[in-house]
Amino acid sequence: MEDLRDKYEVVIGLEVHAQLKTKSKIFAPDGCEFGHEPNSQTSPITLGMPGVLPVLNKEVVNMGILTGLALNCEIPERCKFDRKQYFYPDLPKGYQISQYDEPICVNGYLDVKGKRIGITRAHLEEDAGKLVHAGADGLAGSSYSLVDLNRAGTPLLEIVSEPDMRSSEEARNYMEELRNIVRYIGVCDGNLEEGSMRCDANISIMPKGSKEFGTRAEIKNVNSFSALQRAIEYEIDRQIEIVEDGGQVVQETRLWDDNSRETRSMRGKEDAHDYRYFPEPDLMPLKISREWVQEIKDNMPELPQAKRERYMSLGLSEYDASVIVEQMGLALFFDEVLKTGASAKIAVNFIMGEIAAYLKEEHIEITDTKLTPENLAELISLIEKNTISNNIGKQIIIDMMKEGTKASKIVEDRGLSQISDESAIKEICQKVVDANPEQVEKYKGGKVQLLGFFVGQVMKETKGRANPKAVNDLMKELLDNV
Ligand code: ADP
Ligand code: MG
């Protein structure tokens, strides 16, 4: 397959649905928080009762504009809503209110790892409800299904890319950056597993050098970044095999099955819906003033790319900067620590090291711990003042997270302050030398790398409290003069 891959160029475009984090629905006052009793988050509007009218939620528009600006889109002065008709049991009205030919955002782009991916448009729409296939064992294929309309009417922003991606890796990078952006600007929690961000991948292949795109298949049901990459890889191979066998790829929607690791046909072009779009008569076209756009622009939070660049200017490697930005909770915490004037280098070592490891182990967020940015900053200042060693800092940071105790208090209570007093260190060095005559002989016989052993013994003796540089110097002097 590898050599065959060289013959073809892959073309990918993504359609991403982001669930907007508003308190209430896009056209109704009911809440749209996840995890409530089925059908408890509804109203006559959500249920599609006759005679009710939709009222547009202004916060949805704010979030749409904000996202568009973050994706370098133009925000046209006018947009409108349209009805998209289709029948499904989870769609009470028999149509979905969406935006068809005049979306809220157009002509944007996103720069991802040196590559520019065009964004055709982003439009607002309402989500449908959810079908729960019940009956025997609650399995699909059972005798009946239940409808939960809590999700119906939840605001979505559908972000449609240009077919600009050329590999599964580029698609994943784009998706990850998009997730970062919506999270940092606070419009979506970006959780693929829970479905608050969903992605349809359009994939086609064409002979290398060709200008004409091949027929695409649309892959649905990818709910993690790794699944997205696997699904695209599978689909590329499937399409190459068809074309190599003299066949033709058909335009269709396919479902990714992450267990069997393959895509299955869901519906072909023949079954494609005719949505019979027409302008939503119950909603006025929306005028978006330039002042409104400007106000949102002026309050734009720092975007992930700017954050990475700022961290790199503080001396972080590109890799470290990316890793910390990927974990928003840690990045926001890091920013608070930086505000205190603490050393970025020491802070990032703690955050990416002991702190990140502990959070991962406990499956919690930094905000679930009792560590405050001020307390970490104080710990860092103790290290910088040589009151404690870096090692001691690593030993107590976990307790600081669990207990919320200040570093200076732990250091005082446990007598952990660093021994920098030369005569005290010398005394311990002498003790270690006296206790290890054999090693001293070997050292004198030329095995100078044993210095590390002696230093280690002193650190052990002092429970890590001795100043390592002082120990090193004093021990060397002592051994060279025995
Ligand atoms: P639809 O509304 O039927 O899904 P669109 O024209 O809006 O169709 O395209 C949807 C997505 O498919 C876009 O992200 C676009 O970039 C992508 N796309 C279009 N043509 C191709 C192609 N030949 N190969 C891969 N992706 C494509
Ligand atoms: Mg599509």
Side-chain angles (χ1 to χ4, degrees):
M1 219 60 196
E2 281 314 305
D3 342 332
L4 285 178
R5 285 254 177 145
D6 293 339
K7 283 170 64 180
Y8 294 94
E9 188 159 8
V10 177
V11 175
I12 303 164
L14 300 186
E15 294 163 276
V16 177
H17 284 90
Q19 186 177 317
L20 300 177
K21 265 189 348 193
T22 50
K23 287 202 180 69
S24 56
K25 293 184 175 172
I26 180 169
F27 304 118
D30 19 323
C32 38
E33 213 179 61
F34 189 75
H36 286 265
E37 266 300 277
N39 297 308
S40 64
Q41 309 274 95
T42 61
S43 63
I45 299 173
T46 300
L47 298 177
M49 294 293 178
V52 299
L53 290 173
V55 177
L56 179 60
N57 180 344
K58 187 172 179 186
E59 196 51 26
V60 169
V61 182
N62 284 330
M63 289 183 175
I65 297 172
L66 179 59
T67 313
L69 292 174
L71 300 176
N72 306 292
C73 288
E74 293 160 29
I75 311 296
E77 291 199 38
R78 185 190 125 115
C79 67
K80 74 170 175 46
F81 291 90
D82 301 274
R83 285 190 185 180
K84 179 178 178 179
Q85 338 276 331
Y86 66 95
F87 174 76
Y88 209 67
D90 62 12
L91 189 73
K93 296 196 297 294
Y95 60 85
Q96 177 193 27
I97 304 180
S98 180
Q99 296 190 301
Y100 186 54
D101 53 350
E102 293 186 65
I104 185 165
C105 312
V106 296
N107 291 334
Y109 64 86
L110 193 54
D111 287 326
V112 190
K113 298 198 173 160
K115 164 119 187 185
R116 180 159 292 188
I117 314 286
I119 290 170
T120 319
R121 53 185 273 147
H123 64 261
L124 296 169
E125 61 187 24
E126 58 180 338
D127 205 349
K130 208 172 70 182
L131 281 185
V132 184
H133 301 295
D137 302 315
L139 296 173
S142 60
S143 56
Y144 66 96
S145 297
L146 299 168
V147 187
D148 177 5
L149 293 174
N150 282 355
R151 207 182 62 184
T154 298
L156 299 176
L157 185 70
E158 178 173 344
I159 303 159
V160 182
S161 87
E162 288 287 305
D164 284 348
M165 288 155 271
R166 293 291 174 270
S167 67
S168 65
E169 198 190 351
E170 279 182 12
R172 181 188 183 139
N173 291 341
Y174 166 80
M175 185 70 189
E176 284 183 341
E177 186 65 349
L178 203 53
R179 201 264 297 248
N180 283 335
I181 289 174
V182 295
R183 293 185 75 208
Y184 276 99
I185 61 177
V187 302
C188 171
D189 60 26
N191 193 327
L192 274 70
E193 284 80 8
E194 284 175 13
S196 59
M197 202 168 174
R198 290 166 245 161
C199 169
D200 300 340
N202 294 270
I203 300 151
S204 66
I205 57 165
M206 60 184 177
K208 230 174 212 151
S210 166
K211 291 255 171 325
E212 205 178 315
F213 289 173
T215 304
R216 72 189 149 108
E218 183 186 37
I219 314 298
K220 287 188 179 291
N221 202 35
V222 273
N223 48 19
S224 70
F225 294 111
S226 52
L228 172 65
Q229 222 177 338
R230 281 195 287 274
I232 293 173
E233 287 298 319
Y234 175 87
E235 189 57 24
I236 295 169
D237 286 342
R238 189 188 71 87
Q239 294 187 9
I240 289 178
E241 218 170 288
I242 292 173
V243 174
E244 284 291 318
D245 284 348
Q248 272 181 340
V249 175
V250 292
Q251 187 170 337
E252 61 179 351
T253 301
R254 300 179 68 86
L255 277 187
W256 171 247
D257 182 337
D258 207 41
N259 293 315
S260 61
R261 305 248 158 127
E262 58 186 13
T263 60
R264 277 183 278 115
S265 182
M266 180 173 129
R267 57 167 183 256
K269 201 184 181 185
E270 311 81 63
D271 318 318
H273 299 286
D274 173 4
Y275 293 121
R276 293 166 293 131
Y277 278 102
F278 67 80
E280 168 58 59
D282 291 339
L283 289 164
M284 299 284 279
L286 185 64
K287 285 247 162 81
I288 298 178
S289 73
R290 298 305 88 184
E291 291 75 30
W292 189 358
V293 175
Q294 191 58 45
E295 198 191 321
I296 292 175
K297 204 181 249 174
D298 291 343
N299 291 300
M300 172 83 75
E302 185 178 38
L303 294 173
Q305 183 54 27
K307 211 178 261 295
R308 275 192 292 267
E309 281 164 14
R310 180 163 57 84
Y311 291 167
M312 282 159 69
S313 76
L314 292 172
L316 268 65
S317 69
E318 187 172 0
Y319 177 81
D320 282 347
S322 300
V323 173
I324 196 163
V325 167
E326 283 293 324
Q327 303 174 68
M328 190 168 74
L330 291 184
L332 298 180
F333 188 87
F334 181 45
D335 283 343
E336 292 302 311
V337 177
L338 290 177
K339 276 187 201 156
T340 67
S343 150
K345 269 220 132 75
I346 304 181
V348 85
N349 281 337
F350 273 105
I351 292 175
M352 305 299 295
E354 283 66 31
I355 296 177
Y358 176 76
L359 299 178
K360 197 169 168 201
E361 203 176 288
E362 301 287 318
H363 300 285
I364 54 174
E365 294 284 324
I366 185 108
T367 42
D368 298 326
T369 76
K370 291 188 177 154
L371 183 68
T372 63
E374 294 72 27
N375 283 359
L376 179 56
E378 195 220 20
L379 173 67
I380 292 170
S381 78
L382 293 180
I383 292 170
E384 285 185 306
K385 284 188 292 197
N386 279 325
T387 308
I388 58 169
S389 66
N390 205 39
N391 266 330
I392 294 287
K394 287 182 183 174
Q395 283 174 35
I396 67 174
I397 186 73
I398 305 294
D399 287 330
M400 293 173 64
M401 283 192 275
K402 287 186 187 159
E403 322 283 344
T405 329
K406 278 177 77 166
S408 51
K409 174 107 177 40
I410 299 181
V411 168
E412 198 187 308
D413 288 355
R414 301 190 202 162
L416 294 175
S417 61
Q418 180 155 274
I419 307 168
S420 295
D421 172 29
E422 265 201 28
S423 60
I425 294 178
K426 234 182 202 157
E427 210 173 287
I428 303 163
C429 287
Q430 188 64 54
K431 225 174 100 186
V432 168
V433 167
D434 293 345
N436 294 283
E438 268 178 44
Q439 310 285 8
V440 173
E441 274 317 302
K442 282 188 193 157
Y443 179 89
K444 290 182 70 176
K447 224 175 158 196
V448 290
Q449 62 271 38
L450 276 174
L451 177 62
F453 162 79
F454 287 103
V455 171
Q457 291 299 306
V458 175
M459 296 313 282
K460 209 163 143 191
E461 192 76 15
T462 59
K463 299 203 171 62
R465 287 170 52 216
N467 179 321
K469 171 135 182 25
V471 175
N472 215 65
D473 294 349
L474 290 169
M475 187 54 103
K476 189 163 187 315
E477 195 185 305
L478 197 61
L479 286 170
D480 288 345
N481 295 304
V482 203

